[in-house]
Amino acid sequence: MANSKLYKGSLSTIILKLLDEQGKMYGYEITQKVKELTKGELKITEGALYPALHKLEAEGLLDVEVAKVDNRLRKYYKLTEQGEKETVNRLAELEEFIRNMQQLVNPKWNIQ
């Protein structure tokens, strides 16, 4: 997608949703999963991903688990209990936003 600015406000929700589905993931794995799911249309950069992950961790929504993989330390992120609840809230907000945008962009569709 040429205008990834549209996605920036949704990045934390995207991360929370993926972690809710996958259990735990490391940063590169998150970027690749988004790329795969969007057929390459959305590419999350490290410069956007890691500040978002750190912010979610600081908010108490993510736990970090460090594991040694191939003689390297890898950080795995997973949802806290609070993170699971917040994921539900943010997804509901995003769905409402999408419905409202659809009404503005194409009122004929009238999605309920």
Side-chain angles (χ1 to χ4, degrees), residues 62-73:
L62 298 184
D63 271 337
V64 177
E65 190 178 291
V66 179
K68 196 169 189 176
V69 179
D70 298 327
N71 286 330
R72 295 178 54 214
L73 294 180

Side-chain angles (χ1 to χ4, degrees), residues 27-43:
Y28 180 75
E29 186 178 19
I30 293 170
T31 64
Q32 294 307 296
K33 189 67 173 177
V34 168
K35 189 174 169 183
E36 172 194 330
L37 290 171
T38 63
K39 296 177 177 44
E41 288 292 316
L42 178 60
K43 296 177 182 108

Side-chain angles (χ1 to χ4, degrees), residues 4 14 17-18 25 28 38 41 47 61-62 68 73 76 81 87 89 92 102 104 106:
S4 62
I14 292 167
K17 173 66 173 163
L18 285 175
M25 301 175 83
Y28 180 75
T38 63
E41 288 292 316
L61 304 179
L62 298 184
K68 196 169 189 176
L73 294 180
Y76 286 92
E81 190 174 321
T87 299
N89 294 337
Q102 188 61 54
L104 291 169
N106 194 349

Side-chain angles (χ1 to χ4, degrees), residues 79-91:
L79 296 177
T80 62
E81 190 174 321
Q82 181 184 351
E84 291 173 8
K85 292 175 187 171
E86 186 62 22
T87 299
V88 172
N89 294 337
R90 291 193 188 187
L91 287 172

